[in-house]
Amino acid sequence: MAKTVTIYHNPRCSTSRKVLGMIQESGVEPTIVKYLDTPPSHDGLRKLLDDAGLRPGQAIRRREALYAELGLADADDDALIDAMVANPILIERPIVVTDKGTRIARPAESVAEIL
C-alpha cells in the first residue's frame, strides 16, 4: 500500500470524488490539492505529466469549450501547459501521486495500480 498519496482534486467532478473515496477506503488519508484554486506551476505540471508518462496533449480536456476558444488544437507542448496552468479547468482529473507512481485516474479504478 502506498505510504503517501496526493490527489489533484475537483470536488465538482464525479470521477474525482469517486477516486478520493477509493483512496480513503484503502485506509490512506491523502493530501488534497484543489487544483482549480491552486493550480500547479508550469514546471510542476510538466513534472506531474512526465512522472505519469504523458504528453500535455494527453492530459488536456479537449471537450472543454475553452480548449476550442483558445485555439489549442495545433498548440505545442509548452503552449498547452501554459494554457492548463492559466486555465486549470483544462487539466484532466484527477491526478493521483503516490510513492508507486503518478496517474490520471480515468477510469477511476486505475488508481488501484498505484495504491
Side-chain angles (χ1 to χ4, degrees):
M1 177 173 301
K3 293 178 182 160
T4 62
V5 178
T6 300
I7 180 171
Y8 289 80
H9 179 57
N10 178 349
R12 296 182 63 198
C13 171
S14 61
T15 301
S16 197
R17 289 192 309 268
K18 181 176 182 180
V19 169
L20 177 58
M22 293 170 72
I23 293 167
Q24 291 169 327
E25 287 170 14
S26 79
V28 176
E29 194 53 46
T31 299
I32 299 170
V33 177
K34 293 182 181 176
Y35 69 91
L36 293 177
D37 298 332
T38 54
S41 66
H42 181 100
D43 290 343
L45 182 56
R46 180 168 293 285
K47 180 172 179 0
L48 284 172
L49 298 180
D50 286 349
D51 290 351
L54 297 172
R55 297 196 45 150
Q58 296 171 294
I60 195 164
R61 297 179 57 82
R62 296 175 190 272
R63 292 189 203 138
E64 287 289 336
L66 194 55
Y67 179 84
E69 289 170 22
L70 295 174
L72 297 173
D74 296 321
D76 66 17
D77 286 356
D78 279 333
L80 291 177
I81 289 176
D82 287 342
M84 288 189 276
V85 169
N87 306 282
I89 193 70
L90 291 171
I91 300 171
E92 189 60 85
R93 67 220 176 217
I95 299 174
V96 179
V97 179
T98 76
D99 48 345
K100 295 183 179 183
T102 301
R103 299 277 188 287
I104 293 178
R106 286 189 171 266
E109 293 72 23
S110 68
V111 76
E113 299 168 4
I114 58 170
L115 288 180

